[in-house]
Amino acid sequence: MGSTYTVRIWAVRQRKDRGQTSAELRWKVGDTPHSQTFGTKTLADSRRAELLTAVNAGEPFDEATGVPVRELRQRNDVSWYQHARDYIEMKWPAAPAKTRTGLADTLATATPALVTSRRGMPDTRELRSALYSWAFNFNRWTDDHPAEVVRILAWVERNAMPVSAMDDPIVMRKVLTAFTQRLDGKKAAASVVKRKRAVFHNALGYAVEARRLPHNPLPQVQWVIPPTGEEVDPGCVVNPRQARTLLDAVEKQGTRGEHLKAFFGCLYHAGLRPAEAVWLRHENCELPLSGWGTLHLDGSRPRVGRGWTDSGQPHDERGLKWRAEREIRHVPIPPHFTAMLREHVQAHGVAPDGRLFRTARGGLVQESGYGEVWARARKKALTAQQHASPLGARPYDLRHACVSLWLNSGVDPVEVARRAGHSVAVLLKVYAKCLDGATAMANARIDDALKRWQ
């Protein structure tokens, strides 16, 4: 049922029930009849007059409850703080842990801009921390809150503006401005602003769904979303020779380096995301003695933090990114990398659960650990100029290099997208023109095409 302007109101009639006289008001909204009983005819007439006034003013009525939509919205009105917590509670069960942190970050940024008074406002950083870590972390709602957090959140609860007051472009602009600024006063990255606006828009959409707002007010603001550079910077992509040199530099860093060489190889030779390589198990690997092998990927373990996962573990238990639950991605791997993984298993064995890569204590590989090894490898393998540049600055850049190499080698983009776990549209937008030397390769192909026509 929705809202309608079709309303019919009958005259009040008096009834005698068990020796007592009461007044009944009957009306019909759309196809749904409604009635309400009052102790006196005067009260019933007064309510009838209210409904008639709404009809004459051209207000829509809610068919399910039978009352004017405006009145229903007033009944449902809550503070922004309460609505934000309702939104978190609604989104939490189905949201991956990383998404939960994004939701909390957005609402913690928006809430300080949605208050009726700044008098007695807590310190900016303490306020953001209390909102992010406690108010909008559903897992911690039942925990004992520190006294300072209780004080800060009590201030927010007292001063948060009602949701009904948010149907105002000026208020919306204040929130959007807050999204563009970091806590240190510097400008936020365009991608962060875009992500936060999307979450906030969704939270306002939930307010419409909950009958707390008549419509989503955010599109009314004449505000241009900052352009985001989604394309991979070609300057960060290593070529095959540089990749080999870097992997060799990893291997030379003692026992941990020898163990992690194949881990970084997964990123460069198979295009795995780091979280996918962390969860790679022996059962996922098809490693023949000769020829191409295959990795059968069925999940990932991104590190988010204990407070945000359902398991209470630092790593979230997830399926493949942008894929249906339990979907498997099959990635062929070249013979030399197949041999590298086979040698890795022979030299280092596997964890009790089959994982190829693990810490010294058998735990999941940590970003801080492999990031430190990668930083030393860059310093050792690259020239001073290259080291100061973004070339291979992050382990994730090895994945960029892998996908770019596939594309520039002439592999069908559909096949590249399938192997990388992307849509074709995202693939072509993000990864094109990233291989070191791609311009020369393209020029050579054009030369060959022209020569064939001479």
Side-chain angles (χ1 to χ4, degrees):
M1 291 186 182
S3 60
T4 179
Y5 293 92
T6 306
V7 181
R8 184 180 180 185
I9 304 174
W10 287 278
V12 174
R13 68 180 181 182
Q14 290 188 308
R15 301 177 53 183
K16 287 187 178 182
D17 298 315
R18 298 179 182 179
Q20 294 182 349
T21 302
S22 60
E24 183 182 29
L25 172 62
R26 298 175 300 123
W27 72 103
K28 191 175 184 180
V29 178
D31 296 324
T32 306
H34 297 274
S35 66
Q36 190 173 359
T37 302
F38 299 85
T40 66
K41 186 173 183 300
T42 302
L43 291 175
D45 285 334
S46 176
R47 178 56 174 163
R48 182 174 185 273
E50 291 176 354
L51 297 181
L52 285 172
T53 299
V55 172
N56 294 333
E59 293 185 25
F61 277 60
D62 179 65
E63 189 170 353
T65 61
V67 301
V69 171
R70 173 180 52 81
E71 180 182 322
L72 181 63
R73 198 170 297 124
Q74 290 172 347
R75 290 183 187 178
N76 295 336
D77 201 11
V78 297
S79 71
W80 159 255
Y81 178 67
Q82 180 59 53
H83 173 73
R85 284 170 64 89
D86 290 345
Y87 175 71
I88 285 290
E89 187 173 8
M90 180 272 293
K91 297 288 286 187
W92 197 269
K98 189 64 176 178
T99 300
R100 293 169 178 175
T101 65
L103 297 173
D105 185 33
T106 298
L107 300 182
T109 305
T111 299
L114 296 172
V115 294
T116 56
S117 172
R118 301 179 72 85
R119 184 176 181 180
M121 192 173 194
D123 173 78
T124 303
R125 291 184 181 275
E126 292 178 355
L127 175 58
R128 179 74 67 85
S129 177
L131 290 169
Y132 175 79
S133 300
W134 296 92
F136 302 133
N137 184 337
F138 183 78
N139 281 352
R140 305 187 78 175
W141 284 5
T142 56
D143 294 348
D144 291 333
H145 291 33
E148 184 63 14
V149 170
V150 172
R151 182 188 68 80
I152 291 173
L153 297 185
W155 181 91
V156 174
E157 201 162 5
R158 288 195 307 271
N159 292 277
M161 64 174 55
V163 171
S164 58
M166 299 178 66
D167 192 9
D168 183 346
I170 301 303
V171 173
M172 294 296 95
R173 185 172 288 278
K174 289 181 180 179
V175 177
L176 294 173
T177 300
F179 290 160
T180 65
Q181 298 172 342
R182 301 191 328 191
L183 280 175
D184 59 8
K186 296 180 180 179
K187 182 182 289 188
S191 58
V192 172
V193 177
K194 185 176 181 180
R195 171 178 56 79
K196 289 186 176 181
R197 185 192 181 280
V199 172
F200 187 57
H201 185 276
N202 189 252
L204 293 174
Y206 181 59
V208 177
E209 182 181 328
R211 306 293 180 88
R212 294 169 179 173
L213 281 173
H215 55 264
N216 195 320
L218 198 56
Q220 298 179 29
V221 183
Q222 295 186 14
W223 186 80
V224 179
I225 300 176
T228 56
E230 298 181 18
E231 297 83 2
V232 173
D233 178 9
C236 76
V237 177
V238 297
N239 62 33
R241 185 181 301 107
Q242 292 165 340
R244 274 197 311 273
T245 304
L246 284 163
L247 292 182
D248 289 341
V250 167
E251 185 179 23
K252 293 176 182 177
Q253 293 183 44
T255 303
R256 184 161 67 161
E258 293 171 356
H259 183 84
L260 288 175
K261 179 182 179 181
F263 173 84
F264 292 117
C266 288
L267 278 56
Y268 182 70
H269 293 295
L272 269 59
R273 299 177 175 90
E276 294 169 343
V278 165
W279 187 238
L280 184 65
R281 289 157 297 153
H282 194 236
E283 66 186 70
N284 302 127
C285 305
E286 186 179 328
L287 307 174
L289 294 177
S290 63
W292 284 66
T294 307
L295 301 183
H296 308 283
L297 308 178
D298 60 1
S300 65
R301 291 296 184 271
R303 181 178 174 83
V304 184
R306 297 179 186 276
W308 302 95
T309 63
D310 293 329
S311 64
Q313 298 299 316
H315 291 79
D316 193 18
E317 298 179 6
R318 286 198 57 188
L320 298 174
K321 190 174 183 180
W322 310 124
R323 291 295 181 269
E325 188 177 356
R326 297 182 181 179
E327 183 174 338
I328 296 177
R329 190 168 91 240
H330 308 281
V331 183
I333 53 176
H336 68 278
F337 181 57
T338 300
M340 184 190 298
L341 283 182
R342 204 169 51 247
E343 292 167 5
H344 173 88
V345 173
Q346 293 172 354
H348 304 284
V350 298
D353 58 3
R355 281 178 293 114
L356 268 61
F357 311 110
R358 57 201 183 280
T359 64
R361 296 182 178 181
L364 294 172
V365 174
Q366 307 289 331
E367 184 176 353
S368 57
Y370 67 73
E372 181 181 330
V373 171
W374 183 250
R376 286 201 294 263
R378 285 188 77 246
K379 189 172 183 178
K380 182 178 180 63
L382 302 180
T383 66
Q385 183 178 1
Q386 290 172 335
H387 185 261
S389 75
L391 181 67
R394 307 171 304 156
Y396 204 101
D397 292 331
L398 290 174
R399 169 175 159 85
H400 294 327
C402 174
V403 177
S404 300
L405 177 62
W406 289 344
L407 282 172
N408 286 288
S409 298
V411 180
D412 186 338
V414 175
E415 174 63 12
V416 174
R418 187 196 64 76
R419 295 187 184 198
H422 269 301
S423 69
V424 176
V426 169
L427 178 82
L428 296 178
K429 183 176 182 180
V430 174
Y431 287 103
K433 304 177 182 177
C434 288
L435 181 65
D436 185 25
T439 300
M441 292 170 61
N443 291 345
R445 288 175 182 162
I446 295 172
D447 277 339
D448 289 341
L450 291 173
K451 288 176 182 177
R452 286 197 297 271
W453 286 92
Q454 288 178 355

